[in-house]
């Protein structure tokens, strides 16, 4: 079984991910751009395959009626996004220790993307999710 590790910038929050990962998406919605400072790239992980050390440092922000976002309360790193009741947590791909062995598979919410950049990598684009 594949094991990957991720962490925030300061290392207070450390994540172990067990098993294969798929569906790496870059979200271009205005919330994700504000949250991350640009595009939010993440991968969904079933909660039973996700272990969080330093969970006491994670702060959760309810960003809508449907989801919340988790960040390190010490350094501010954006680490998690999760929809309520889905049973999985999206982990920021940028927090995963290299080599990740992962490739971006699609772009979502491109109908809401910023006007200051182009998407030119050839990955499929969806106006919404």
């Amino acid at each position: 079984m594949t094991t990957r590790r991720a962490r925030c910038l300061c290392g207070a929050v450390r994540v172990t991910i067990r098993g294969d990962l798929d569906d790496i998406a870059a979200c271009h919605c205005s919330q994700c751009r504000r949250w991350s400072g640009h595009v939010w790239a993440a991968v969904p992980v079933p909660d039973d395959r996700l272990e969080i050390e330093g969970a006491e440092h994670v702060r959760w922000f309810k960003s809508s009626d449907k989801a919340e976002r988790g960040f390190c309360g010490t350094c501010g790193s954006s680490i998690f996004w999760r929809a309520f009741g889905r049973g999985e947590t999206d982990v920021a791909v940028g927090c995963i220790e290299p080599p990740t062995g992962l490739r971006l598979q699609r772009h979502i919410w491109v109908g809401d993307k910023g006007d200051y950049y182009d998407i030119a990598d050839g990955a499929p684009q969806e106006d919404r999710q």
Side-chain angles (χ1 to χ4, degrees):
M1 177 181 291
T2 304
T3 299
R4 291 184 176 85
R5 304 214 186 295
R7 68 176 185 89
C8 65
L9 184 61
C10 72
V13 179
R14 294 162 312 286
V15 179
T16 301
I17 303 166
R18 300 192 195 304
D20 293 333
L21 298 177
D22 198 16
D23 197 27
I24 294 88
C27 184
H28 298 267
C29 79
S30 60
Q31 279 194 9
C32 283
R33 285 185 287 109
R34 285 185 180 96
W35 171 249
S36 68
H38 184 46
V39 175
W40 170 257
V43 62
V45 179
D47 289 338
D48 63 352
R49 293 182 15 218
L50 184 68
E51 179 185 328
I52 301 171
E53 296 175 59
E56 68 273 14
H57 298 285
V58 178
R59 302 292 177 262
W60 291 95
F61 171 69
K62 182 180 175 187
S63 55
S64 72
D65 290 338
K66 298 177 183 181
E68 61 186 351
R69 298 166 186 269
F71 63 96
C72 175
T74 303
C75 68
S77 292
S78 305
I79 309 168
F80 306 112
W81 180 93
R82 65 180 174 200
F84 299 121
R86 198 170 73 178
E88 61 185 17
T89 300
D90 287 13
V91 177
V93 177
C95 293
I96 299 174
E97 298 291 340
T100 67
L102 304 172
R103 297 295 299 167
L104 184 67
Q105 295 171 302
R106 63 191 179 115
H107 296 271
I108 59 175
W109 291 97
V110 297
D112 193 29
K113 81 170 208 48
D115 63 356
Y116 58 92
Y117 64 94
D118 295 318
I119 303 170
D121 63 3
Q125 298 181 26
E126 302 170 26
D127 277 345
R128 301 183 65 135
Q129 179 177 354

